Coordinates of all heavy atoms in Angstrom, one line a residue:
M1 N 0.9 -1.2 0.0 CA 0.0 0.0 0.0 C 0.9 1.3 0.0 O 1.8 1.4 0.8 CB -0.9 0.0 1.2 CG -1.9 1.1 1.3 SD -3.4 0.7 0.3 CE -4.1 -0.7 1.1
Y2 N 0.6 2.1 -0.9 CA 1.3 3.3 -1.0 C 0.5 4.5 -0.8 O -0.7 4.6 -1.2 CB 2.0 3.5 -2.4 CG 3.1 2.5 -2.6 CD1 2.9 1.3 -3.2 CD2 4.4 2.8 -2.2 CE1 3.9 0.4 -3.4 CE2 5.5 1.9 -2.4 CZ 5.2 0.7 -3.0 OH 6.3 -0.2 -3.2
C3 N 1.0 5.6 -0.3 CA 0.3 6.8 0.0 C 0.1 7.5 -1.4 O 1.1 7.7 -2.1 CB 1.1 7.7 1.0 SG 0.4 9.4 1.1
P4 N -1.1 7.9 -1.7 CA -1.3 8.5 -3.0 C -0.7 10.0 -3.0 O -0.6 10.6 -4.1 CB -2.8 8.6 -3.2 CG -3.4 8.5 -1.8 CD -2.4 7.7 -1.0
K5 N -0.4 10.5 -1.9 CA 0.1 11.8 -1.8 C 1.6 11.9 -1.9 O 2.2 12.7 -2.6 CB -0.4 12.5 -0.5 CG -0.6 14.0 -0.7 CD -1.2 14.6 0.6 CE -1.3 16.1 0.5 NZ -1.7 16.6 1.9
C6 N 2.3 11.1 -1.0 CA 3.7 11.2 -1.0 C 4.4 10.0 -1.4 O 5.7 9.8 -1.3 CB 4.2 11.6 0.4 SG 3.8 10.4 1.7
Q7 N 3.7 8.9 -1.8 CA 4.2 7.6 -2.2 C 5.0 6.9 -1.2 O 5.7 5.9 -1.5 CB 5.1 7.8 -3.5 CG 4.5 8.7 -4.6 CD 3.2 8.1 -5.1 OE1 3.0 7.0 -5.3 NE2 2.2 9.0 -5.3
S8 N 4.7 7.2 0.1 CA 5.4 6.5 1.2 C 4.7 5.2 1.4 O 3.5 5.0 1.2 CB 5.3 7.4 2.4 OG 5.7 6.6 3.6
E9 N 5.5 4.2 1.8 CA 5.0 2.9 2.1 C 4.5 2.7 3.6 O 4.0 1.7 4.0 CB 6.0 1.8 1.8 CG 5.4 0.6 1.0 CD 6.4 -0.5 0.8 OE1 7.6 -0.2 0.5 OE2 6.1 -1.6 0.9
N10 N 4.8 3.7 4.3 CA 4.5 3.7 5.7 C 3.1 4.1 6.0 O 2.7 5.2 6.5 CB 5.5 4.7 6.4 CG 5.4 4.5 8.0 OD1 4.9 3.6 8.5 ND2 6.0 5.5 8.7
V11 N 2.2 3.2 5.7 CA 0.7 3.4 5.7 C 0.1 2.5 6.7 O 0.3 1.3 6.8 CB 0.1 3.3 4.3 CG1 -1.4 3.3 4.4 CG2 0.6 4.3 3.4
N12 N -0.7 3.1 7.6 CA -1.4 2.3 8.6 C -2.9 2.2 8.2 O -3.6 3.2 7.9 CB -1.3 3.1 10.0 CG -1.8 2.3 11.1 OD1 -1.9 1.1 11.0 ND2 -2.0 3.0 12.2
T13 N -3.4 1.0 8.2 CA -4.8 0.7 7.9 C -5.6 0.4 9.1 O -5.2 -0.4 10.0 CB -4.8 -0.5 6.9 OG1 -4.0 -0.3 5.8 CG2 -6.2 -0.7 6.4
Q14 N -6.7 1.1 9.3 CA -7.5 0.9 10.4 C -9.0 0.8 10.0 O -9.4 1.5 9.1 CB -7.3 1.9 11.5 CG -7.3 3.3 11.0 CD -6.8 4.3 12.1 OE1 -6.8 5.5 11.9 NE2 -6.2 3.8 13.2
V15 N -9.8 -0.1 10.7 CA -11.2 -0.2 10.4 C -11.9 0.6 11.5 O -11.8 0.4 12.7 CB -11.6 -1.7 10.5 CG1 -13.1 -1.8 10.3 CG2 -10.9 -2.5 9.5
I16 N -12.7 1.5 11.0 CA -13.5 2.4 11.9 C -14.9 2.0 11.8 O -15.5 1.8 10.7 CB -13.3 3.9 11.4 CG1 -11.9 4.3 11.6 CG2 -14.3 4.8 12.2 CD1 -11.6 5.7 11.0
N17 N -15.5 1.8 13.0 CA -16.9 1.4 13.1 C -17.7 2.7 13.5 O -17.7 3.1 14.6 CB -17.1 0.3 14.1 CG -18.4 -0.4 14.0 OD1 -19.1 -0.3 12.9 ND2 -18.8 -1.0 15.0
T18 N -18.5 3.2 12.6 CA -19.3 4.4 12.9 C -20.7 4.0 13.0 O -21.3 3.2 12.2 CB -19.1 5.5 11.8 OG1 -19.2 4.9 10.5 CG2 -17.8 6.2 11.9
V19 N -21.4 4.5 14.0 CA -22.8 4.3 14.2 C -23.6 5.5 13.6 O -23.5 6.6 14.0 CB -23.2 4.1 15.7 CG1 -24.7 3.9 15.8 CG2 -22.4 2.9 16.2
V20 N -24.5 5.2 12.6 CA -25.2 6.2 12.0 C -26.7 6.0 12.4 O -27.2 4.9 12.3 CB -25.1 6.1 10.4 CG1 -25.8 7.2 9.7 CG2 -23.6 6.1 10.0
L21 N -27.3 7.1 12.8 CA -28.8 7.0 13.1 C -29.5 7.4 11.9 O -29.4 8.4 11.3 CB -29.1 8.0 14.3 CG -28.7 7.5 15.6 CD1 -29.0 8.7 16.6 CD2 -29.4 6.3 16.1
K22 N -30.4 6.4 11.5 CA -31.1 6.6 10.3 C -32.6 6.7 10.6 O -33.2 5.9 11.4 CB -30.9 5.3 9.4 CG -30.4 5.6 8.0 CD -30.2 4.3 7.2 CE -29.7 4.6 5.9 NZ -29.5 3.4 5.1
D23 N -33.2 7.7 10.1 CA -34.7 7.9 10.2 C -35.4 6.8 9.4 O -35.1 6.6 8.2 CB -35.1 9.3 9.7 CG -34.9 10.3 10.9 OD1 -34.8 9.8 12.0 OD2 -35.0 11.5 10.6
K24 N -36.4 6.2 10.0 CA -37.2 5.3 9.3 C -38.3 6.0 8.5 O -39.2 6.6 9.0 CB -37.9 4.3 10.3 CG -38.1 2.9 9.7 CD -38.6 2.0 10.8 CE -39.1 0.7 10.2 NZ -39.6 -0.1 11.3
H25 N -38.1 6.1 7.2 CA -39.0 6.8 6.4 C -40.1 5.9 5.7 O -39.8 4.8 5.3 CB -38.3 7.6 5.2 CG -37.7 8.8 5.7 ND1 -38.4 9.9 6.2 CD2 -36.4 9.2 5.9 CE1 -37.6 10.9 6.5 NE2 -36.4 10.5 6.4
R26 N -41.3 6.5 5.7 CA -42.3 5.8 5.0 C -42.4 6.3 3.6 O -42.3 7.4 3.3 CB -43.7 6.1 5.6 CG -43.7 5.7 7.1 CD -43.9 4.2 7.4 NE -44.3 3.9 8.7 CZ -44.3 2.7 9.2 NH1 -43.9 1.7 8.4 NH2 -44.7 2.5 10.4
G27 N -42.6 5.3 2.7 CA -42.7 5.7 1.3 C -44.0 6.3 0.9 O -45.0 6.2 1.7
L28 N -44.1 6.9 -0.3 CA -45.3 7.6 -0.7 C -46.4 6.5 -1.0 O -47.5 6.8 -0.6 CB -45.0 8.3 -2.1 CG -46.1 9.1 -2.7 CD1 -46.5 10.3 -1.8 CD2 -45.8 9.5 -4.1
I29 N -46.0 5.4 -1.4 CA -47.0 4.3 -1.7 C -47.6 3.8 -0.4 O -48.8 3.6 -0.3 CB -46.3 3.1 -2.5 CG1 -46.0 3.6 -3.9 CG2 -47.3 1.9 -2.5 CD1 -45.0 2.8 -4.6
W30 N -46.8 3.8 0.7 CA -47.3 3.4 2.0 C -48.3 4.4 2.5 O -49.3 4.0 3.0 CB -46.1 3.3 3.0 CG -46.5 2.8 4.3 CD1 -46.6 1.6 4.8 CD2 -47.0 3.6 5.4 NE1 -47.0 1.5 6.1 CE2 -47.3 2.8 6.5 CE3 -47.1 5.0 5.6 CZ2 -47.8 3.2 7.7 CZ3 -47.6 5.5 6.9 CH2 -47.9 4.6 7.9
W31 N -48.1 5.6 2.3 CA -49.1 6.7 2.7 C -50.3 6.6 1.9 O -51.4 6.7 2.4 CB -48.5 8.1 2.6 CG -47.6 8.4 3.7 CD1 -46.2 8.5 3.7 CD2 -48.0 8.7 5.1 NE1 -45.7 8.8 5.0 CE2 -46.8 8.9 5.8 CE3 -49.2 8.8 5.7 CZ2 -46.9 9.2 7.2 CZ3 -49.2 9.1 7.1 CH2 -48.1 9.3 7.8
L32 N -50.2 6.3 0.6 CA -51.4 6.3 -0.2 C -52.3 5.0 0.1 O -53.5 5.1 0.1 CB -51.0 6.2 -1.7 CG -50.4 7.5 -2.3 CD1 -49.9 7.2 -3.7 CD2 -51.5 8.6 -2.4
L33 N -51.6 3.9 0.4 CA -52.4 2.7 0.6 C -52.8 2.5 2.0 O -53.9 2.0 2.3 CB -51.5 1.5 0.2 CG -51.2 1.4 -1.4 CD1 -50.2 0.2 -1.6 CD2 -52.5 1.1 -2.1
I34 N -51.9 2.8 3.0 CA -52.1 2.5 4.4 C -52.2 3.7 5.3 O -53.0 3.8 6.1 CB -51.0 1.5 4.9 CG1 -51.0 0.2 4.1 CG2 -51.2 1.2 6.4 CD1 -49.7 -0.6 4.1
G35 N -51.2 4.6 5.1 CA -51.0 5.7 6.0 C -52.3 6.5 6.3 O -52.5 6.9 7.5
W36 N -53.1 6.9 5.3 CA -54.2 7.8 5.5 C -55.3 7.2 6.4 O -56.0 7.9 7.1 CB -54.8 8.2 4.1 CG -55.4 7.0 3.3 CD1 -54.6 6.3 2.5 CD2 -56.7 6.6 3.3 NE1 -55.4 5.3 1.9 CE2 -56.7 5.5 2.4 CE3 -57.9 7.0 3.9 CZ2 -57.9 4.8 2.1 CZ3 -59.0 6.2 3.6 CH2 -59.0 5.2 2.7
W37 N -55.5 5.8 6.4 CA -56.5 5.3 7.3 C -55.8 4.6 8.6 O -56.4 4.6 9.7 CB -57.4 4.2 6.6 CG -56.6 3.1 6.0 CD1 -56.2 2.9 4.7 CD2 -56.2 1.8 6.7 NE1 -55.6 1.8 4.5 CE2 -55.5 1.1 5.7 CE3 -56.3 1.4 8.0 CZ2 -55.0 -0.2 6.0 CZ3 -55.7 0.1 8.3 CH2 -55.1 -0.6 7.3
W38 N -54.6 4.2 8.4 CA -53.9 3.6 9.5 C -53.5 4.6 10.7 O -53.7 4.2 11.8 CB -52.6 2.9 9.1 CG -51.7 2.4 10.2 CD1 -50.5 2.8 10.4 CD2 -52.0 1.4 11.1 NE1 -50.0 2.1 11.5 CE2 -50.9 1.2 12.0 CE3 -53.2 0.6 11.4 CZ2 -50.9 0.4 13.1 CZ3 -53.1 -0.3 12.5 CH2 -52.0 -0.4 13.3
I39 N -53.2 5.8 10.3 CA -52.8 6.7 11.3 C -54.0 7.1 12.2 O -53.9 7.1 13.4 CB -52.1 8.0 10.6 CG1 -50.7 7.6 10.0 CG2 -51.9 9.1 11.6 CD1 -49.7 7.0 10.9
P40 N -55.2 7.5 11.6 CA -56.3 7.8 12.5 C -56.8 6.6 13.3 O -57.0 6.7 14.5 CB -57.5 8.1 11.5 CG -56.8 8.5 10.2 CD -55.5 7.7 10.2
I41 N -56.8 5.4 12.7 CA -57.1 4.1 13.5 C -56.1 3.9 14.7 O -56.5 3.6 15.8 CB -57.2 2.9 12.6 CG1 -58.5 3.0 11.7 CG2 -57.2 1.6 13.4 CD1 -58.6 2.1 10.6
K42 N -54.9 4.1 14.3 CA -53.8 4.0 15.3 C -54.0 4.9 16.5 O -53.9 4.6 17.6 CB -52.4 4.2 14.7 CG -51.3 3.5 15.4 CD -50.1 3.5 14.5 CE -49.2 4.7 14.9 NZ -47.9 4.7 14.2
W43 N -54.5 6.2 16.1 CA -54.7 7.2 17.1 C -55.9 6.9 18.0 O -55.9 7.1 19.2 CB -54.9 8.6 16.5 CG -53.6 9.3 16.4 CD1 -52.6 9.2 15.3 CD2 -53.0 10.2 17.4 NE1 -51.6 10.0 15.6 CE2 -51.7 10.6 16.8 CE3 -53.4 10.6 18.6 CZ2 -50.9 11.5 17.5 CZ3 -52.6 11.5 19.3 CH2 -51.3 11.9 18.8
I44 N -56.9 6.2 17.4 CA -58.1 5.9 18.2 C -57.8 4.8 19.1 O -58.2 4.8 20.3 CB -59.3 5.6 17.2 CG1 -59.8 6.9 16.5 CG2 -60.4 4.9 18.0 CD1 -60.4 6.6 15.2
F45 N -57.1 3.8 18.7 CA -56.9 2.6 19.5 C -55.6 2.7 20.3 O -55.5 2.0 21.3 CB -56.8 1.4 18.6 CG -58.1 1.0 18.0 CD1 -58.5 1.3 16.7 CD2 -59.1 0.3 18.7 CE1 -59.7 1.0 16.1 CE2 -60.3 -0.1 18.2 CZ -60.6 0.3 16.9
F46 N -54.7 3.6 20.0 CA -53.5 3.7 20.7 C -53.3 5.1 21.1 O -52.2 5.6 21.0 CB -52.3 3.2 19.9 CG -52.5 1.7 19.4 CD1 -52.9 1.6 18.1 CD2 -52.2 0.7 20.2 CE1 -53.1 0.3 17.6 CE2 -52.4 -0.6 19.7 CZ -52.8 -0.8 18.4
T47 N -54.4 5.8 21.6 CA -54.3 7.2 21.8 C -53.2 7.5 22.9 O -52.4 8.4 22.7 CB -55.6 7.8 22.3 OG1 -56.6 7.4 21.4 CG2 -55.6 9.3 22.5
L48 N -53.2 6.7 24.0 CA -52.3 7.0 25.1 C -50.9 6.8 24.6 O -50.1 7.7 24.8 CB -52.7 6.1 26.3 CG -52.0 6.5 27.6 CD1 -52.4 7.9 28.1 CD2 -52.3 5.5 28.7
P49 N -50.5 5.7 24.1 CA -49.1 5.6 23.7 C -48.7 6.6 22.6 O -47.6 7.1 22.6 CB -49.0 4.1 23.1 CG -50.4 3.6 23.1 CD -51.2 4.4 23.9
A50 N -49.7 6.9 21.7 CA -49.4 7.9 20.7 C -49.1 9.2 21.3 O -48.3 10.0 20.9 CB -50.6 8.0 19.7
L51 N -49.9 9.6 22.4 CA -49.7 10.9 23.1 C -48.4 10.9 23.7 O -47.6 11.9 23.7 CB -50.8 11.1 24.1 CG -52.1 11.8 23.6 CD1 -53.2 11.7 24.6 CD2 -51.8 13.2 23.1
L52 N -48.0 9.8 24.4 CA -46.7 9.6 25.0 C -45.6 9.8 24.0 O -44.6 10.4 24.3 CB -46.6 8.3 25.8 CG -47.5 8.2 27.1 CD1 -47.4 6.7 27.6 CD2 -46.9 9.1 28.2
F53 N -45.8 9.2 22.9 CA -44.8 9.3 21.8 C -44.7 10.7 21.4 O -43.5 11.2 21.2 CB -45.3 8.4 20.6 CG -44.8 7.0 20.7 CD1 -45.0 6.2 21.8 CD2 -44.1 6.5 19.6 CE1 -44.5 4.9 21.9 CE2 -43.7 5.1 19.6 CZ -43.8 4.4 20.8
A54 N -45.8 11.4 21.3 CA -45.8 12.8 20.8 C -45.1 13.7 21.9 O -44.3 14.6 21.6 CB -47.2 13.3 20.6
I55 N -45.4 13.4 23.2 CA -44.9 14.2 24.3 C -43.3 14.0 24.3 O -42.6 15.0 24.5 CB -45.5 13.8 25.7 CG1 -46.9 14.3 25.7 CG2 -44.7 14.4 26.9 CD1 -47.8 13.6 26.7
F56 N -42.9 12.8 24.3 CA -41.5 12.6 24.4 C -40.7 12.7 23.1 O -39.5 12.5 23.0 CB -41.2 11.2 25.0 CG -41.6 11.1 26.4 CD1 -42.7 10.4 26.8 CD2 -40.8 11.7 27.4 CE1 -43.1 10.3 28.1 CE2 -41.2 11.6 28.7 CZ -42.4 11.0 29.1
G57 N -41.5 13.1 22.0 CA -40.9 13.3 20.7 C -40.1 12.2 20.2 O -39.1 12.3 19.6
H58 N -40.7 11.0 20.4 CA -40.1 9.8 19.9 C -40.0 9.7 18.5 O -41.1 9.9 17.8 CB -40.8 8.6 20.5 CG -40.2 7.3 20.2 ND1 -39.2 6.7 20.9 CD2 -40.3 6.4 19.1 CE1 -38.8 5.6 20.3 NE2 -39.5 5.4 19.2
R59 N -38.9 9.4 17.9 CA -38.8 9.2 16.5 C -38.2 7.9 16.2 O -37.3 7.4 16.9 CB -37.9 10.3 15.9 CG -38.5 11.7 15.9 CD -37.5 12.7 15.4 NE -37.3 12.6 13.9 CZ -36.4 13.2 13.3 NH1 -35.6 14.1 14.0 NH2 -36.2 13.1 12.0
K60 N -38.7 7.2 15.2 CA -38.2 5.9 14.9 C -36.9 6.1 14.2 O -36.7 6.6 13.1 CB -39.2 5.2 13.9 CG -40.3 4.5 14.7 CD -41.2 3.8 13.7 CE -42.4 3.2 14.5 NZ -43.5 2.9 13.6
Q61 N -35.9 5.6 15.0 CA -34.6 5.7 14.5 C -33.9 4.4 14.5 O -34.1 3.6 15.5 CB -33.8 6.7 15.2 CG -34.0 8.2 14.8 CD -33.1 9.1 15.5 OE1 -32.8 9.0 16.6 NE2 -32.7 10.2 14.8
K62 N -33.1 4.1 13.6 CA -32.4 2.9 13.5 C -30.9 3.1 13.5 O -30.4 3.9 12.7 CB -32.8 2.2 12.2 CG -32.9 0.7 12.2 CD -33.5 0.2 10.9 CE -33.0 -1.2 10.5 NZ -33.3 -1.5 9.2
A63 N -30.2 2.4 14.4 CA -28.8 2.6 14.5 C -28.2 1.6 13.5 O -28.4 0.4 13.5 CB -28.3 2.2 15.9
V64 N -27.4 2.2 12.6 CA -26.8 1.4 11.6 C -25.3 1.4 11.8 O -24.7 2.5 11.9 CB -27.2 1.9 10.2 CG1 -26.4 1.1 9.1 CG2 -28.7 1.8 10.0
N65 N -24.7 0.2 11.8 CA -23.3 0.1 12.0 C -22.6 0.2 10.6 O -23.0 -0.6 9.7 CB -22.9 -1.2 12.7 CG -22.9 -1.0 14.2 OD1 -22.4 0.0 14.7 ND2 -23.6 -1.9 14.8
K66 N -21.8 1.1 10.5 CA -21.1 1.2 9.2 C -19.6 1.1 9.4 O -18.9 1.8 10.1 CB -21.4 2.6 8.6 CG -21.4 2.8 7.1 CD -21.8 4.1 6.7 CE -21.1 4.6 5.5 NZ -21.2 6.0 5.2
K67 N -19.0 0.0 8.7 CA -17.6 -0.3 8.8 C -16.9 0.4 7.7 O -17.2 0.2 6.5 CB -17.4 -1.7 8.8 CG -17.6 -2.4 10.2 CD -16.8 -3.7 10.3 CE -16.8 -4.2 11.7 NZ -18.0 -4.8 12.1
E68 N -15.9 1.1 8.1 CA -15.1 1.8 7.1 C -13.6 1.6 7.3 O -13.2 1.6 8.4 CB -15.3 3.3 7.1 CG -16.6 3.8 6.5 CD -16.8 5.3 6.5 OE1 -16.3 5.9 7.5 OE2 -17.4 5.8 5.6
T69 N -13.0 1.3 6.2 CA -11.6 1.0 6.3 C -10.8 2.3 5.8 O -11.0 2.8 4.8 CB -11.1 -0.2 5.4 OG1 -11.9 -1.3 5.8 CG2 -9.7 -0.5 5.7
V70 N -10.0 2.8 6.8 CA -9.3 4.0 6.5 C -7.8 3.8 6.6 O -7.3 3.2 7.5 CB -9.8 5.1 7.6 CG1 -9.0 6.4 7.3 CG2 -11.3 5.4 7.5
C71 N -7.1 4.3 5.6 CA -5.7 4.3 5.5 C -5.1 5.6 5.9 O -5.6 6.7 5.5 CB -5.2 3.9 4.1 SG -5.6 2.2 3.7
V72 N -4.1 5.5 6.8 CA -3.5 6.8 7.3 C -2.0 6.7 7.0 O -1.4 5.7 7.4 CB -3.7 7.0 8.8 CG1 -3.1 8.3 9.2 CG2 -5.2 7.0 9.1
C73 N -1.5 7.6 6.3 CA -0.1 7.7 6.0 C 0.7 8.2 7.2 O 0.3 9.2 7.7 CB 0.1 8.6 4.8 SG 1.9 8.8 4.4
Q74 N 1.6 7.4 7.7 CA 2.4 7.8 8.8 C 3.4 8.8 8.5 O 4.1 9.4 9.4 CB 3.1 6.5 9.4 CG 2.1 5.5 9.8 CD 1.2 5.8 10.9 OE1 1.5 6.2 12.0 NE2 -0.1 5.9 10.6
N75 N 3.7 9.1 7.2 CA 4.7 10.0 6.8 C 4.2 11.4 6.6 O 4.7 12.3 7.2 CB 5.2 9.5 5.4 CG 6.5 10.1 5.1 OD1 7.4 10.4 5.9 ND2 6.7 10.5 3.8
C76 N 3.0 11.6 6.0 CA 2.5 12.9 5.7 C 1.2 13.2 6.4 O 0.7 14.3 6.4 CB 2.4 13.2 4.2 SG 1.1 12.3 3.4
G77 N 0.6 12.1 7.0 CA -0.7 12.3 7.7 C -1.9 12.2 6.8 O -3.0 12.4 7.3
Y78 N -1.7 12.0 5.6 CA -2.9 11.9 4.7 C -3.7 10.7 4.9 O -3.1 9.6 5.1 CB -2.3 11.9 3.2 CG -3.4 11.9 2.2 CD1 -4.1 13.1 1.9 CD2 -3.7 10.8 1.4 CE1 -5.2 13.1 0.9 CE2 -4.7 10.8 0.5 CZ -5.4 12.0 0.3 OH -6.4 11.9 -0.7
S79 N -5.0 10.8 5.0 CA -5.9 9.7 5.2 C -6.9 9.6 4.1 O -7.4 10.6 3.6 CB -6.6 9.8 6.6 OG -7.5 10.9 6.6
W80 N -7.2 8.3 3.7 CA -8.2 8.1 2.7 C -8.9 6.8 2.9 O -8.5 6.0 3.6 CB -7.5 8.1 1.3 CG -6.6 6.9 1.1 CD1 -6.9 5.8 0.4 CD2 -5.2 6.8 1.5 NE1 -5.9 4.9 0.4 CE2 -4.8 5.5 1.0 CE3 -4.4 7.6 2.2 CZ2 -3.5 5.1 1.3 CZ3 -3.1 7.1 2.4 CH2 -2.7 5.9 2.0
K81 N -10.1 6.8 2.4 CA -10.9 5.5 2.5 C -10.8 4.6 1.4 O -10.5 5.0 0.3 CB -12.4 5.9 2.6 CG -12.8 6.6 3.9 CD -14.2 7.2 3.8 CE -14.5 8.1 5.0 NZ -15.8 8.8 4.8
I82 N -10.9 3.3 1.7 CA -10.7 2.3 0.6 C -12.1 2.0 0.1 O -13.1 1.7 0.8 CB -10.2 1.0 1.2 CG1 -8.7 1.2 1.7 CG2 -10.1 -0.1 0.1 CD1 -8.0 0.1 2.4
Ligands
ZN1 ZN1 1.8 10.3 2.6

C-alpha cells in the first residue's frame, strides 16, 4: 500500500466502526395505501401511547453500523478511505 500523496509505504490501515442514526421513512406508496387510514385508527386505538410518543418526541430511528476502512499515511498524515 502506497500513499497517493507522498508515495510513502509507511501506511497504517484501520477499520473504523461508525454508528449512523437513520430515520425510518415511509414511502409515498405506504401513505397512499395504508397511512391515510392507519394513522387515524392507530390514534383511536392507541391514543395514550401515541400521546406519550408525541410528548417525548419519539422518532423511529435505527442505529446502523457502518464499517469503514481508513488508511492513514504515517509519513505525511494523509488519510483516505478504501
Ligand atoms: Zn503520505
Side-chain angles (χ1 to χ4, degrees):
M1 188 80 67
Y2 289 94
C3 171
K5 211 176 173 185
C6 66
Q7 310 304 317
S8 165
E9 223 184 320
N10 192 11
V11 170
N12 190 18
T13 307
Q14 49 193 188
V15 177
I16 294 173
N17 195 20
T18 45
V19 177
V20 183
L21 282 175
K22 237 181 180 178
D23 273 346
K24 210 176 171 183
H25 278 295
R26 302 282 194 191
L28 182 69
I29 291 160
W30 184 87
W31 280 107
L32 287 171
L33 293 174
I34 299 156
W36 62 275
W37 59 265
W38 170 244
I39 295 298
I41 285 167
K42 205 168 95 176
W43 269 88
I44 290 157
F45 289 99
F46 306 97
T47 308
L48 192 65
L51 275 170
L52 286 169
F53 270 50
I55 288 161
F56 291 106
H58 182 89
R59 289 177 72 189
K60 273 180 186 166
Q61 278 187 324
K62 215 173 147 191
V64 176
N65 276 309
K66 209 175 146 194
K67 275 202 172 75
E68 279 180 331
T69 308
V70 177
C71 288
V72 181
C73 175
Q74 302 298 297
N75 195 39
C76 70
Y78 182 76
S79 65
W80 68 96
K81 287 171 193 171
I82 297 175

